[in-house]
Amino acid sequence: MQFEVWAPQAGRVTLQCDGVTRALERDPERAGWWRGEADARDGSRYGFALDDGPVRPDPCSRRQPDGPDGLSAVVDHERYEWRARWRGRPLPGAVLYELHVGTYTREGTLDAAAERLGHLAELGVTHVQLMPLCPFPGTHGWGYEGVSLWAVHEPYGGPEALKRFVDRAHELGLGVVLDVVHNHFGPSGNYLPLFGPYLTERHHTPWGAAVNLDAPGSDEVRAFLIGSALAWLRDYRIDGLRLDAVHALVDTRALHFLEEVSTAVDALAAEVDRPLFLVAETDLNDPRLITSRDKGGLGLHAQWNDDFHHALHTTLTGESQGYYADFARAPLAGLAKTLTGGYFHDGTYSSFRERHHGRPLDRTRVAGHRLLGYSQTHDQVGNRAQGDRLSSLVSPGLLACAATLTLTAPFTPMLFMGEEWAAGTPWQFFTDHTDPELADAVRRGRRREFAAHGWKEEDVPDPQDPATRDRSCLDWSEPERDPHARVLTWYRQLLALRHEQPDLTDPDLADTKVAYDEERRWIAFRRGDVLVAVNLAPEPAALSLGVPHARVLAAWEPVETPGADGVVHVPGESGVVLLQE
């Protein structure tokens, strides 16, 4: 078997494979690369030593059976026999469901999660978006401190378990999206800087030195990241990738890294003859990210739209701290602006940032499905001091209003696991660092962060306490009883409508017409022949739809068919979806 590794600064590189050590030779055709042959098979343990130093895992390791610090293992991807005949599911018309493997079930494994995929197929989502799977220290964590960007966290089940999960999802008609982290590497088990200039001091990010995308040696670093991205899509038959915090990918080169990634993914999609897509997490409000390359953009297929979330959250809760301050002055106006223009900050002044932010999105060039809309995400729940979900902040009626707005908006909807039944469990920040100093630093940093916002130290959960993770696991008995069962039924109704009514997946942002009353707390909008009215106030509201005949398709509380005057009477804290006839 051929082994190779990029180690441009090494004078000598040796391979240890199944206990046998042999020297590698420089590759005459690729500067900085070393290669050599060794007897190996699926499961063979191996690693590389630089200049007779300790044996380290392969930077491109496909499996880390003993965690980030252990030896790598050979993975023969051809051994797995795929069951599902899968042609893919495109992003237009999709509904994503963000899922954390370690807390979706109490077992916290891919196989256990796969057993619950029937719930998602019945719910009506189209894609499962898995939070990061790369190896990280210990057993439990969010996954954003992973290393070995080609491998699957072993406690989740390793490579074979991921293939079984994807296969089962595809059998049920569900696509799979994977969250990948290219903007930093985890602090523990990260040996990449020993092999080459994977980081650069030219730029700095919240995690320290930036990933090297534009300094000397960056060609190979970019190829490493792109190769990893393509491997998930090719070897595991994953349908799309969510790119974490792309605003932290500092790249001054003329050909931006994101454009290079999108070009490579589109080429792979053509090769395998199924749709593949990239979704960016970004706070830049820069439409160039999701504008096609032939129109001067970077060619990513979609982005998270935090502006919609912030406007909706502020409308529902009245919270005004931090970045919510920008939306708190007139939350319904902000919500209306995002529903029609995509961004709230499109060159406007941001009091939170103390500067102007964003630029306008051209609705004639950018389709609505390129923006993901959501009322909750792992970030917006887990980065609260106590990981409290929206269900602990507002009434079931307001949760129904949030679902109505999210699932009928002109965006690609995304749900956060458990949201669909108003899960009563929190989702808190938890880690399992095996390095005591790092564990203590994370614990103290978390408490210090929230102390600055007035939280008592004892009220901030200890990330290292196993109970913090345990509290964050979904309780699968909840959907069987009210109020959870009623909320779940509402989500299923709305998702069924989204699939049945073509107007609800119309990509034309300019076609959405909105009216609202800030003081009376109602908002209504029209998408083609579908009309949506949401009353956030506790008292009933009489809203004029502007059409003489409309039929009620779904309502959280009973709503009578509007009369000839086109007025619909919406109960307090309720939403209704109607069809013009």
Side-chain angles (χ1 to χ4, degrees):
M1 176 178 176
Q2 178 84 21
F3 289 85
E4 59 181 19
V5 65
W6 182 57
Q9 288 136 10
R12 170 179 161 82
V13 178
T14 55
L15 165 72
Q16 184 188 98
C17 182
D18 287 339
V20 177
T21 301
R22 67 198 66 216
L24 299 184
E25 297 179 350
R26 295 183 186 273
D27 188 330
E29 298 178 359
R30 295 185 297 167
W33 282 86
W34 301 74
R35 66 184 188 183
E37 298 275 342
D39 292 332
R41 61 189 185 284
D42 185 79
S44 289
R45 305 292 184 91
Y46 73 99
F48 300 106
L50 309 180
D51 297 320
D52 299 319
V55 178
R56 302 299 189 190
D58 182 358
C60 297
S61 171
R62 270 61 170 181
R63 187 181 175 200
Q64 290 296 118
D66 302 313
D69 295 304
L71 290 176
S72 301
V74 172
V75 174
D76 179 2
H77 284 298
E78 299 301 319
R79 292 179 71 243
Y80 185 82
E81 296 184 8
W82 293 93
R83 302 184 305 272
R85 289 191 170 187
W86 182 246
R87 298 304 303 272
R89 292 197 75 155
L91 183 65
V95 180
L96 275 59
Y97 184 95
E98 189 182 26
L99 182 158
H100 177 261
V101 170
T103 50
Y104 187 62
T105 65
R106 184 68 58 177
E107 297 87 344
T109 65
L110 284 156
D111 284 332
E115 293 179 3
R116 295 284 185 180
L117 286 175
H119 163 78
L120 300 184
E122 183 181 352
L123 176 63
V125 302
T126 64
H127 292 76
V128 184
Q129 180 176 297
L130 298 173
M131 288 176 62
L133 299 179
C134 294
F136 55 84
T139 300
H140 298 297
W142 280 19
Y144 292 94
E145 294 182 333
V147 293
S148 297
L149 301 192
W150 306 57
V152 180
H153 189 50
E154 201 69 18
Y156 287 167
E160 291 289 299
L162 177 56
K163 291 175 183 175
R164 291 191 294 269
F165 179 94
V166 173
D167 222 359
R168 180 56 181 152
H170 288 170
E171 286 180 327
L172 293 169
L174 297 168
V176 180
V177 181
L178 178 63
D179 194 340
V180 296
V181 183
H182 291 164
N183 52 54
H184 72 287
F185 307 116
S188 181
N190 176 25
Y191 301 104
L192 291 174
L194 300 178
F195 285 87
Y198 284 88
L199 299 174
T200 176
E201 293 290 342
R202 281 190 179 184
H203 314 291
H204 286 268
T205 71
W207 305 280
V211 174
N212 179 16
L213 299 176
D214 57 5
S218 58
D219 285 356
E220 293 292 354
V221 177
R222 292 161 75 107
F224 167 80
L225 297 174
I226 293 170
S228 166
L230 297 180
W232 294 115
L233 301 170
R234 182 183 57 248
D235 298 337
Y236 292 94
R237 299 193 178 184
I238 288 195
D239 301 282
L241 301 176
R242 182 257 192 191
L243 306 179
D244 182 62
V246 300
H247 46 271
L249 294 169
V250 188
D251 183 8
T252 61
R253 289 167 61 158
L255 176 61
H256 196 281
F257 170 72
L258 292 175
E259 183 178 352
E260 196 172 353
V261 175
S262 72
T263 301
V265 169
D266 286 348
L268 180 62
E271 178 187 328
V272 299
D273 192 26
R274 61 184 173 91
L276 304 172
F277 55 84
L278 296 172
V279 179
E281 182 202 12
T282 173
D283 68 356
L284 297 175
N285 282 23
D286 185 351
R288 288 174 292 193
L289 269 69
I290 52 174
T291 299
S292 61
R293 294 186 300 277
D294 61 356
K295 294 179 180 178
L298 299 184
L300 300 180
H301 306 93
Q303 67 153 92
W304 280 27
N305 187 10
D306 274 353
D307 279 9
F308 173 76
H309 169 272
H310 297 346
L312 178 56
H313 185 90
T314 306
T315 299
L316 294 168
T317 67
E319 292 185 357
S320 60
Q321 72 276 16
Y323 42 64
Y324 294 134
D326 286 343
F327 303 84
R329 289 186 293 273
L332 280 168
L335 190 56
K337 183 177 181 180
T338 63
L339 286 169
T340 55
Y343 299 147
F344 174 77
H345 284 304
D346 53 5
T348 57
Y349 183 78
S350 166
S351 61
F352 171 68
R353 297 174 178 86
E354 297 183 338
R355 61 171 175 80
H356 287 77
H357 184 66
R359 64 185 297 166
L361 184 151
D362 185 346
R363 297 182 299 172
T364 66
R365 299 175 66 183
V366 178
H369 75 262
R370 294 188 181 276
L371 298 173
L372 267 62
Y374 37 83
S375 65
Q376 300 177 72
T377 70
H378 79 272
D379 271 330
Q380 303 302 337
V381 175
N383 284 326
R384 298 174 68 88
Q386 295 186 325
D388 39 343
R389 293 172 178 265
L390 202 54
S391 57
S392 69
L393 304 175
V394 301
S395 66
L398 288 180
L399 290 178
C401 291
T404 305
L405 290 164
T406 302
L407 295 177
T408 60
F411 314 128
T412 295
M414 185 180 73
L415 312 181
F416 178 57
M417 63 175 198
E419 168 192 335
E420 72 274 20
W421 72 69
T425 50
W427 201 74
Q428 300 175 335
F429 179 69
F430 52 90
T431 55
D432 192 17
H433 290 296
T434 52
D435 180 341
E437 291 187 8
L438 183 56
D440 189 55
V442 170
R443 181 185 297 113
R444 287 185 286 105
R446 186 77 175 173
R447 289 172 173 168
R448 185 167 55 248
E449 174 187 356
F450 287 102
H453 297 285
W455 288 86
K456 295 180 181 179
E457 184 173 304
E458 60 270 22
D459 291 337
V460 180
D462 178 0
Q464 285 287 122
D465 185 347
T468 304
R469 176 264 171 182
D470 293 344
R471 282 191 297 270
S472 301
C473 293
L474 290 178
D475 178 356
W476 282 91
S477 70
E478 287 184 338
E480 301 171 3
R481 58 182 187 271
D482 281 333
H484 308 286
R486 185 185 177 197
V487 173
L488 178 58
T489 298
W490 182 238
Y491 270 82
R492 287 173 175 162
Q493 281 184 272
L494 291 172
L495 284 166
L497 283 180
R498 188 170 185 89
H499 296 309
E500 293 166 4
Q501 298 295 329
D503 286 334
L504 290 179
T505 52
D506 183 348
D508 185 2
L509 274 172
D511 190 47
T512 302
K513 307 295 188 293
V514 182
Y516 64 93
D517 189 312
E518 201 80 61
E519 185 176 343
R520 295 173 60 203
R521 285 180 55 75
W522 61 259
I523 185 168
F525 58 91
R526 177 173 182 163
R527 302 188 59 205
D529 290 333
V530 175
L531 302 103
V532 179
V534 172
N535 179 18
L536 299 150
E539 58 276 352
L543 310 182
S544 177
L545 299 177
V547 297
H549 302 289
R551 174 167 55 93
V552 175
L553 297 177
W556 172 251
E557 297 286 358
V559 173
E560 292 186 5
T561 301
D565 58 0
V567 174
V568 61
H569 296 270
V570 185
E573 298 187 350
S574 184
V576 57
V577 183
L578 307 100
L579 183 67
Q580 180 181 356
E581 295 185 322

